Amino acid sequence: MRTGVNVPNFGPGTDPGMLRDWAQTVEGLGFDLLMVSDHLAVTPDVARQYPAPFYEPFTTLSWLAGITHRVRLGTTVLILPYRHPLLMARMAANLHQLSGGRLVLGVGVGWARQEFAALGVPFGRRGELTDEALRAMRAAWEDEADYGHGPIPIWVGGNSDAGLRRAVRFGEAWHPLRFTLPWLRDALERLEAAADAQGRPVPGLAPRIALRLSPSPIEDPGRLAGQGTIEQILDDIDRLRRLGAGTVVLDPFGGDPEETHHPRQAWRALAAVAAALPTKSE
């Protein structure tokens, strides 16, 4: 099983130097994948959670591709209704080529109503637009040989039933975000049912979980996967592996924008996990 990290490409402490330090830390600790998020217009609903500056993901990953060597690069998640499908197909294919085939494209429908309005995109059609974009992008990659350097893996995000159905139709993997393990076990049954209903194979599992280390165990039944002592976190990762996860992405951002000024606590948590995970040869 592979492990990745969701790196904050936003917030008052984030600048090119900080992004470089994050990338070198993630790659240096041996993680397999570095992912960033997507917003284009930092409207008030976005800014409450992810304040400016917000670095656009294709631009950011293109730059990080040039200062990393091994780590794969991805989006968690690219909001498909925000851009023209052929533009996204071209940017993704070029980034995949220029990085030596390292791109993982996590995609989603989006949630920020004010951002949709600022971009002139109808919020109520976001699911339909996402499906249309996925069809158009796949068709573009298939029609033009210069669109790709090997297939680009698509991870479909979304914890709703519509997200599950979309993952079955379009995704190499389903990419759920922040959840409890009991919820995930139930959702995987619904994913299998959705695949059976469509007569399609069940997609892979590539979840993104929280990463919040605590000095003592968290006993709350609502504890998110990835929260608690190092033992709890490692047990969560192992349970996800046994549930079929091919990759687990760790998200160390706790929600306070001031964290972006002080990443060392997150780096220490990542180092603790990396040191305790089995090596690839085990």
Side-chain angles (χ1 to χ4, degrees):
M1 189 189 72
R2 295 176 174 176
T3 51
V5 179
N6 182 27
V7 168
N9 55 318
F10 54 84
T14 299
D15 59 22
M18 186 67 78
L19 287 166
R20 180 187 60 244
D21 291 346
W22 265 104
Q24 292 174 345
T25 297
V26 169
E27 187 166 64
L29 288 172
F31 288 99
D32 303 288
L33 174 64
L34 181 159
M35 306 192 90
V36 297
S37 302
D38 181 28
H39 283 288
L40 294 182
V42 187
T43 48
D45 49 355
V46 174
R48 280 191 290 271
Q49 298 185 50
Y50 310 108
F54 204 113
Y55 289 80
E56 194 278 329
F58 282 116
T59 311
T60 302
L61 292 176
S62 296
W63 181 62
L64 294 178
I67 58 176
T68 56
H69 306 283
R70 173 195 56 80
V71 71
R72 301 176 84 194
L73 305 161
T75 53
T76 178
V77 290
L78 188 73
I79 304 172
L80 292 189
Y82 286 175
R83 302 169 181 83
H84 193 285
L86 296 183
L87 174 63
M88 289 187 290
R90 176 63 67 188
M91 290 192 295
N94 288 169
L95 174 53
H96 197 53
Q97 286 181 306
L98 292 168
S99 67
R102 288 192 278 157
L103 181 63
V104 175
L105 200 64
V107 302
V109 301
W111 56 268
R113 286 179 178 271
Q114 292 174 331
E115 187 174 28
F116 272 83
L119 295 169
V121 179
F123 183 81
R125 293 188 59 219
R126 65 194 188 284
E128 175 189 352
L129 292 170
T130 296
D131 292 349
E132 290 175 0
L134 285 165
R135 292 189 191 97
M137 292 166 68
R138 285 202 180 278
W141 292 334
E142 290 170 1
D143 288 346
E144 292 194 37
D146 69 338
Y147 260 94
H149 178 94
I152 300 172
I154 292 180
W155 294 359
V156 177
N159 292 11
S160 67
D161 286 343
L164 298 177
R165 293 191 295 269
R166 184 171 294 109
V168 170
R169 288 197 303 275
F170 298 109
E172 279 73 35
W174 177 44
H175 184 48
L177 311 179
R178 293 193 170 224
F179 47 79
T180 67
L181 282 172
W183 177 89
L184 181 67
R185 283 189 286 268
D186 176 70
L188 288 172
E189 293 180 3
R190 289 185 282 118
L191 181 69
E192 187 173 349
D196 288 344
Q198 296 184 43
R200 295 175 177 268
V202 179
L205 175 63
R208 190 181 96 197
I209 66 173
L211 177 61
R212 301 299 285 180
L213 267 174
S214 66
S216 57
I218 298 176
E219 306 296 347
D220 185 343
R223 178 184 71 87
L224 294 177
Q227 292 181 333
T229 63
I230 187 65
E231 291 80 14
Q232 285 182 301
I233 293 169
L234 293 172
D235 183 63
D236 289 342
I237 293 172
D238 186 60
R239 288 174 185 268
L240 291 167
R241 178 189 61 79
R242 287 185 274 129
L243 286 170
T247 303
V248 174
V249 179
L250 306 173
D251 184 356
F253 179 64
D256 181 357
E258 288 303 307
E259 292 177 36
T260 60
H261 286 292
H262 310 287
R264 293 192 179 278
Q265 182 176 351
W267 295 347
R268 285 193 292 270
L270 289 168
V273 172
L277 287 173
T279 63
K280 297 297 185 291
S281 61
E282 292 184 52

